Amino acid sequence: MAPFRTHPFDDDKLKEECGIFGVVGVADASTFVALGLHALQHRGQEAGGIVSYHPDHGFNSARRFGYVRDNFTKAEVMDTLPGSLSIGHVRYSTAGSKGATAIRDVQPFFGEFSMGGCAIAHNGNLTNAAALRRELIERGSIFQSSSDSECIIHLMARSIQKTLSERIKDALRRVEGAFSVVAMTRTKLIGVRDPLGVRPLVLGRLGDSGWALSSETCALDIIGAEFIREIEPGEMVVIEGNKVETTRPFAPAKPRFCIFENVYFSRPDSIIGGRSVYETRRQIGVELAREAPVDADLVCPVPDSGTPAAIGYSQESGIPYAMGIIRNQYMGRTFIEPTDHIRNMGVRLKLNVNRALIKGKRVILVDDSVVRGTTSRKIKDMILEAGAAEVHFRIASPPTAWPCFYGVDTPERSKLLAATMSEDEMRDWIGVDSLKFVSLDGLYRAAGEARGRDADSPRFCDACFSGDYPVAPSDKIAEGFEMKAAE
C-alpha cells in the first residue's frame, strides 16, 4: 500500500502530534482501543497501530496507513488482536520520515526482553534523539524505523534493571524533550508524562475492572469510561489488575503544558486542567473582541477550528455570528492527484463562501492561527470575490514566530510568516483591511490565568509564540538553530 497522502491544501496549519490510548481489564480490549483512537483521529491521520496481549496467543499487532475507521473496524483485523490488554497510536509524523512514512515507522513499537515483551506508544518529540541514536548505533543497536520513539526501546534493552517498569524509567531518564507514553507488558498497562507535562495524558475507569489511558478525555467518553484524573507531570502509573501504583521517577520541574493544545490540537469537547477546551477557545474570542474591536456586520469562523473563538467574539462584540464559509464535510485527507489546475483551485475544494450572506458585508473572519499565511490569502480572495465590502482577520493565537520541537510539525523558522514580518506587514501581504492577533497575555487569561503570562514563571509552554523554550532542543542546536536571546 502506498504511504498515506496528506491533502495538498492542508499545509498551512500546525500539524497535530499523535494520539495514544490504552485499555486493560476488559474483554476484547483492542476494540476499545480502536474506538479510542477513532476519537483521537484529529491528532494524527497518517497511520495507526494497535498491539494486544492474550495469554494463549501472546503479543499481536496490526499497523496500517490511513484512518482508524478504514482499518480497525474490520472483523478480520480485530480478530487478530485478542486479549484484555491493548494499546494503540495514531500518527502524524513529527520526527523521522515526514510525509514518507514507512510501515516500520508506525507505532506502537515492540521489544522482546529477557523478562518478556513490551510495547510502547509515544506522543511528543525527543529533542536529543539524534545524539542518542548515534550513541546507540555505535554500541551495536540496530534501528528498524526512522522514529525518535524507537530510542526508548533500545535504551530499555541496554538497561540493567530487573523489571520492564524499571527499564522504562531508566530509558526515559535519558531522553530530553516532550513525551507522554503508554506502554504494556504481559500484565501491566503503564502511563508516563515527562517532568514538564508538555503533552497530555489522562486516566479513566472502565466498568468495575477496567482502566484506560488516553491523550484526551473525549476518547474516554466514546468508550463510556469515567474520567478519573490527569496523569501528573513527571508521574508514572502502573496498572495491574485493579491496582494503580504511582511513582515519580524524574527530578521535580515546574510544569509547562503546551498552550497550543487549548488553541487547536485538542478536541473542543475535551477537558484540560479541569477546564473545557471549548470554553477556553470561546474565551479567546472574548479576549480578541476586547483587544481588537472593529466595526463590522458579521463575525464568521474559518471552519472548523475558528468556530468557538468566533462565537466568543460575536457574544462580546454584539456583532452577529454567521456561517459565511461552509466546509465540505466529505473532504478527506486524500484526494485526486493534484495537477497544477487542481492546485490553483486552492482552498475552494475544502471551503466555499456563502455568497448570499457575504455580499456587501463588512466581515470579521476568525481563525485559530496563521502559519505560512498562504491559506489566509486564499480565503481573503474568496470572501472578496463573493462581494464582501471589507475583510478583517482576527486570530485566536499570538503570531507563530518560532518552531516547536516538542511534537508538533512546525515549518522551519524562515517559513513562518510572523518570523519575517511585522503584524502590519502581514496584514498587507495577506491583503486584508485589518489583521489582529490575540496577545499572549490575552491567551493566558482565556486559559484561566487572570493576570496573564508570568514572564518569570510561565504556566504553559508557549515557545512557538515567545521563543522561550523550556527544554533546549539539543539536536537542533547542534544543527545550528539559534535560540532566542534572553531579554
Side-chain angles (χ1 to χ4, degrees):
M1 181 176 179
F4 189 64
R5 292 187 181 277
T6 299
H7 186 268
F9 311 126
D10 281 342
D11 66 348
D12 198 25
K13 292 289 183 186
L14 297 183
K15 297 300 190 296
E16 304 90 336
E17 329 85 85
C18 297
I20 55 177
F21 197 82
V23 167
V24 65
V26 295
D28 300 318
S30 62
T31 301
F32 288 90
V33 170
L35 289 167
L37 293 180
H38 178 72
L40 297 173
Q41 190 77 84
H42 59 288
R43 301 184 72 87
Q45 298 85 37
E46 205 171 59
I50 297 176
V51 174
S52 72
Y53 179 79
H54 187 284
D56 297 331
H57 303 282
F59 286 93
N60 290 278
S61 68
R63 294 184 283 181
R64 300 287 189 275
F65 293 115
Y67 289 125
V68 174
R69 70 181 182 217
D70 296 330
N71 292 301
F72 296 105
T73 54
K74 301 172 183 175
E76 60 266 28
V77 175
M78 301 313 295
D79 287 347
T80 67
L81 299 167
S84 60
L85 176 54
S86 180
I87 66 171
H89 185 275
V90 285
R91 180 181 199 267
Y92 178 84
S93 54
T94 60
S97 52
K98 295 181 184 179
T101 301
I103 198 68
R104 64 179 179 272
D105 294 321
V106 180
Q107 298 185 46
F109 291 131
F110 177 79
E112 191 72 58
F113 304 92
S114 60
M115 64 285 293
C118 181
I120 285 184
H122 166 222
N123 171 210
N125 206 47
L126 308 182
T127 58
N128 65 335
L132 285 173
R133 191 183 185 97
R134 286 193 299 270
E135 174 191 327
L136 288 162
I137 289 173
E138 287 171 1
R139 294 185 178 185
S141 293
I142 300 173
F143 280 75
Q144 302 297 315
S145 77
S146 65
S147 172
D148 63 329
S149 308
E150 192 183 350
C151 287
I152 299 171
I153 289 286
H154 290 283
L155 288 169
M156 288 177 63
R158 294 194 166 275
S159 171
I160 62 173
Q161 297 299 319
K162 302 300 183 184
T163 68
L164 288 170
S165 299
E166 291 301 318
R167 288 195 175 200
I168 291 174
K169 291 180 185 178
D170 229 12
L172 293 178
R173 289 188 185 110
R174 289 285 318 276
V175 304
E176 298 172 3
F179 55 85
S180 283
V181 168
V182 169
M184 59 177 281
T185 68
R186 288 173 294 186
T187 60
K188 298 173 181 177
L189 178 65
I190 299 167
V192 195
R193 281 181 84 188
D194 69 77
L196 297 176
V198 177
R199 297 283 153 234
L201 189 63
V202 298
L203 174 68
R205 188 71 196 257
L206 184 57
D208 294 330
S209 59
W211 295 90
L213 291 167
S214 173
S215 290
E216 294 182 41
T217 61
C218 65
L220 299 178
D221 297 336
I222 200 173
I223 65 168
E226 176 192 1
F227 169 58
I228 300 299
R229 65 178 179 87
E230 295 184 0
I231 304 304
E232 295 180 6
E235 182 183 12
M236 177 175 182
V237 294
V238 179
I239 306 168
E240 185 172 16
N242 210 27
K243 187 177 181 183
V244 180
E245 292 185 348
T246 180
T247 58
R248 294 188 171 276
F250 313 108
K254 182 173 175 56
R256 294 285 296 275
F257 182 69
C258 171
I259 201 166
F260 218 87
E261 291 280 353
N262 285 296
V263 173
Y264 179 67
F265 293 138
S266 293
R267 260 177 45 169
D269 52 335
S270 285
I271 305 294
I272 292 176
R275 185 181 178 89
S276 158
V277 174
Y278 172 87
E279 178 54 29
T280 296
R281 290 178 186 167
R282 189 196 68 82
Q283 194 62 37
I284 294 173
V286 171
E287 293 290 337
L288 257 175
R290 292 170 180 169
E291 293 182 351
V294 63
D295 287 333
D297 302 305
L298 297 174
V299 177
C300 301
V302 176
D304 290 312
S305 54
T307 300
I311 291 171
Y313 194 105
S314 172
Q315 291 171 340
E316 180 67 15
S317 67
I319 301 170
Y321 171 89
M323 295 298 293
I325 301 174
I326 307 302
R327 186 175 188 270
N328 179 358
Q329 298 296 334
Y330 299 98
M331 188 69 189
R333 287 272 185 150
T334 57
F335 199 66
I336 56 179
E337 194 69 28
T339 64
D340 287 342
H341 177 66
I342 294 294
R343 284 186 185 279
N344 289 337
M345 292 183 185
V347 78
R348 295 173 191 275
L349 290 170
K350 187 174 181 180
L351 304 173
N352 192 42
V353 177
N354 188 346
R355 290 176 175 267
L357 180 70
I358 291 296
K359 188 174 181 180
K361 300 294 198 305
R362 299 168 297 169
V363 180
I364 301 170
L365 293 177
V366 181
D367 204 355
D368 63 273
S369 60
V370 172
V371 181
R372 292 179 176 90
T374 51
T375 297
S376 299
R377 291 181 75 170
K378 293 172 184 175
I379 291 171
K380 174 267 302 182
D381 288 342
M382 290 168 57
I383 294 290
L384 288 177
E385 288 170 12
E390 297 176 6
V391 181
H392 304 272
F393 259 108
R394 294 296 179 266
I395 310 301
S397 62
T400 304
W402 295 85
C404 175
F405 302 116
Y406 308 134
V408 182
D409 185 22
T410 316
E412 59 188 62
R413 189 157 192 255
S414 62
K415 294 181 180 178
L416 295 170
L417 201 64
T420 58
M421 295 185 187
S422 68
E423 191 173 273
D424 288 344
E425 289 171 333
M426 284 189 278
R427 176 201 64 206
D428 294 342
W429 186 83
I430 295 171
V432 289
D433 292 279
S434 71
L435 170 69
K436 296 292 181 183
F437 296 80
V438 73
S439 68
L440 195 50
D441 281 333
L443 179 57
Y444 268 73
R445 287 192 294 269
E449 296 286 289
R451 296 184 179 180
R453 184 181 191 266
D454 181 349
D456 295 326
S457 184
R459 175 184 167 190
F460 296 103
C461 176
D462 52 35
C464 54
F465 307 131
S466 67
D468 178 9
Y469 292 94
V471 179
S474 304
D475 291 340
K476 293 298 179 181
I477 291 172
E479 292 173 11
F481 176 77
E482 294 184 7
M483 299 278 283
K484 181 180 179 181
E487 296 177 353

